């Protein structure tokens, strides 16, 4: 039977109403034609879920000989089928992967990379996980496959499997940089689960790898290795409060990272911005992957809301997120001059920032998203600033780190590579939080009406055993008290962890309550009202959780350290108008916890102060905070202009 028109002859000028039209023009006996039809239907957006079944592709692929089908075609089909998360698609993916030969490694690597992109954008991981599992079955010991597989296991809460995959990766890793990545995966899986068992040994080995990298100072690393290099010190602030040592190590890693970033000609990729530049205004760009219902999104939205649009032109660069996100539209996209959405192509993002002629670029992600780091390392804007998302990255081309008088100690500049710019009152302010309807009640938790309720609401990363022991000492010393424990972690692991520490201290396990995650942020905040006292974590404090606690008027206890992560609650409490509950060491932390538990009048006094401070305190005055930050932008730019070397007579204005 002769085909009237081959798939190669069908171009975009042909009118094709659906994939059925394409298929009818093909010889169904030709597997390559069928695969081409799948690719074309996917390109046209008409690839239906029934297509794989209709064509009986599985049987045809299984009867094909390895190497008989062009591998570029197989790769295209695999990419198309990732958009159709069905069991049938999985079977066809498996059959296609079985037919790969000379390019098997690169095809598998690209496939799992695409799986990761889809997961990051849509947060739907079960189908992608099955794809990664199939890849691992066919090509075991592939580092790229193990990397994605371990990450997805951790993301969906299958922590024991994530740990096993990470340890497998570590054992077969050929180079120090690969072993470092394996170690990162191991730490991530353990801490996300809330498993601190043997953490000292694990972190010591991890630190040794970091020191080896610093000593080797590798050059010509590829992008994936650069990512590992920069993000590998992420875990240290959770395990100890030692910024003088850890920030120095981070700065050295960031310097090696910077020297490995390959510069591109970003000026040549885009023309001028579509928005004309107003005379006398500054162009401010905010870049992040978190301008959604995320801590950074909830906290940064007020700055965007209050920005002076006459004096500043505001650009947003939203990375790796759903451009239809309604929270993003309400609080960000519709309140600025230009919003751009990108996947993870750092060169494209940097080129657009340069084309938009951004004067000051603000990094909202810091070490929490590698693509943002890659963009910042390209230096697409004359001035670059880190704010809010985490501590600073140490990347040499970041000019400033936004702080305040309290969140960093006076000598912090000694170990920060960025210039610390201290705002006059607070490095962050919000106008408040939306509150929903509570779903937690004492009677539902079998807690007496006259009991004292303590609450800790943090992720497994922040559950340092020493801090938990202090919390247990507080519970033990306050009669008729109960401890509510909430936060993302593995339920069995965290219950076993807290249970063992409670038993060591001599607390009846019946005084502990483990809470499930609330269905949304508004309900979570409303449920905070069940607590009489919130116990903060150390050496890594809460940030958004602290602000939510203070907004609800709940007394809290925090321990102040030296690192940024150990001083967030301190600055927020001071800027909310209270000092009660601020501890400077472990003994004071326990003393404050006991005192607040025993003294109802003191709790009521703090509650009253917090409620009245809503109209007066700096931390609740986002408009004034915005004015302070805008003044800082103007000063930064004036200093940049004055520090620029004079242009030669033959120079051309950029």
């Amino acid at each position: 039977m002769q085909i009237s028109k081959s798939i190669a002859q069908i171009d975009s000028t042909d009118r094709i109403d659906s994939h059925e039209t394409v298929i009818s023009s093909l010889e169904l006996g030709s597997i390559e034609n069928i695969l081409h039809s799948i690719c074309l239907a996917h390109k046209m957006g008409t690839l239906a879920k029934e297509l794989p079944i209709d064509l009986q592709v599985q049987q045809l692929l299984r009867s094909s000989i390895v190497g008989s089908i062009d591998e570029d075609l197989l790769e295209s089909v695999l990419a198309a089928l990732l958009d159709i998360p069905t069991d049938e698609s999985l079977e066809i993916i498996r059959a296609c992967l079985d037919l790969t030969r000379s390019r098997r490694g690169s095809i598998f690597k690209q496939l799992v990379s695409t799986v990761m992109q889809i997961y990051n954008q849509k947060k739907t991981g079960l189908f992608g996980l099955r794809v990664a599992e199939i890849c691992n079955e066919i090509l075991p010991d592939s580092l790229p496959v193990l990397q994605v597989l371990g990450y997805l296991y951790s993301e969906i809460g299958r922590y024991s499997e994530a740990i096993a995959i990470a340890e497998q990766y570590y054992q077969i890793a050929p180079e120090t940089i690969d072993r470092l990545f394996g170690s990162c995966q191991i730490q991530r899986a353990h801490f996300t689960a809330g498993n601190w068992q043997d953490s000292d040994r694990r972190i010591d080995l991890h630190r040794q790898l970091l020191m080896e990298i610093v000593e080797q100072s590798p050059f010509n690393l590829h992008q994936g290795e650069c990512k590992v290099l920069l993000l590998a010190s992420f875990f240290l602030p959770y395990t100890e409060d030692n910024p003088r040592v850890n920030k120095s190590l981070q700065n050295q890693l960031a310097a090696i990272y910077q020297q490995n970033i390959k510069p591109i000609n970003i000026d040549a990729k885009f023309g001028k911005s579509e928005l004309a530049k107003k005379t006398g205004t500054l162009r401010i760009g905010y870049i992040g992957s978190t301008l959604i219902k995320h801590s950074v999104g909830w906290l940064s939205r007020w700055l965007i809301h209050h920005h002076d649009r006459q004096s500043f032109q505001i650009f947003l660069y939203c990375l790796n997120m759903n451009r239809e996100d309604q929270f993003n539209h309400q609080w960000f996209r519709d309140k600025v001059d230009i919003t751009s959405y990108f996947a993870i192509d750092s060169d494209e993002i940097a080129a657009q920032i340069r084309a938009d002629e951004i004067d000051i670029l603000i990094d909202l992600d810091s070490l929490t998203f590698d693509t943002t780091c890659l963009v910042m390392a390209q230096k697409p804007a004359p001035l670059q600033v880190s704010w809010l998302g985490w501590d600073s990255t140490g990347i040499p081309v970041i000019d400033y780190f936004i702080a305040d008088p309290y969140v960093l100690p006076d000598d912090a500049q000694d170990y920060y590579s960025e210039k610390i710019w201290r705002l006059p009152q607070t490095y962050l302010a919000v106008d408040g939080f939306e509150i929903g309807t509570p779903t937690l009640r004492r009677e539902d938790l079998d807690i007496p009406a006259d009991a004292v309720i303590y609450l800790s609401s943090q992720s497994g990363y922040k559950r340092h055993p020493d801090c938990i022991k202090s919390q247990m000492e507080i519970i033990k010393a306050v009669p008729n008290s109960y401890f509510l424990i909430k936060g993302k972690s593995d339920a069995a692991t965290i219950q076993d962890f807290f249970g063992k520490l409670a038993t060591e201290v001599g607390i009846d396990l019946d005084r502990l309550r483990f809470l499930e995650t609330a269905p949304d942020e508004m309900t979570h905040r409303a449920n905070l009202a069940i607590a009489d006292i919130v116990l903060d974590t150390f050496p890594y404090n809460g940030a958004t959780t602290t602000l939510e606690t203070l907004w609800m008027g709940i007394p809290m206890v925090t321990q102040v350290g030296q690192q940024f992560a150990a001083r967030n609650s301190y600055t927020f409490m001071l800027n909310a108008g209270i000092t009660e509950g601020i501890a400077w060491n472990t003994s004071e932390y326990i003393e404050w916890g006991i005192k607040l538990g025993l003294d109802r009048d003191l709790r009521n006094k703090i509650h009253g102060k917090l409620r009245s401070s809503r109209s007066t305190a700096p931390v609740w005055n986002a408009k004034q905070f915005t004015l302070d930050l805008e003044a800082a932008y103007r000063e930064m730019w004036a200093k940049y202009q004055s520090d620029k070397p004079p242009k030669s007579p033959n120079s051309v204005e950029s």
Side-chain angles (χ1 to χ4, degrees), residues 16-26 41 46 48 50-51 54:
I16 304 177
D17 295 323
S18 68
H19 70 272
E20 288 88 353
T21 306
V22 178
I23 295 166
S24 65
S25 68
L26 301 173
T46 59
E50 297 80 18
L51 178 62
D54 293 344

Side-chain angles (χ1 to χ4, degrees), residues 36 168 192 302 396 489 532 565:
H36 275 299
Q168 178 186 351
T192 303
W302 296 109
S489 55
D532 296 299

Side-chain angles (χ1 to χ4, degrees), residues 140-165:
D141 293 345
S142 164
L143 293 183
V145 172
L146 293 174
Q147 174 181 337
V148 172
L149 185 57
Y151 181 88
L152 291 177
Y153 275 140
S154 183
E155 282 291 287
I156 66 172
R158 291 166 61 174
Y159 299 110
S160 59
E161 290 159 297
I163 291 168
I165 291 294

Side-chain angles (χ1 to χ4, degrees), residues 174-230:
E175 305 291 341
T176 304
I177 192 73
D178 299 312
R179 289 195 298 277
L180 180 60
F181 182 85
S183 181
C184 285
Q185 293 284 71
I186 291 171
Q187 312 313 324
R188 182 179 184 275
H190 277 288
F191 287 137
T192 303
N195 180 16
W196 283 77
Q197 185 176 356
D198 203 26
S199 60
D200 289 343
R201 182 194 64 82
R202 286 190 285 103
I203 288 296
D204 283 345
L205 291 174
H206 189 74
R207 188 185 294 277
Q208 289 175 24
L209 287 170
L210 293 175
M211 297 302 296
E212 285 182 36
I213 292 292
V214 169
E215 185 176 346
Q216 294 171 6
S217 189
F219 194 64
N220 288 329
L221 297 176
H222 62 68
Q223 190 175 100
E225 292 171 329
C226 288
K227 165 186 167 181
V228 175
L229 187 68
L230 185 65

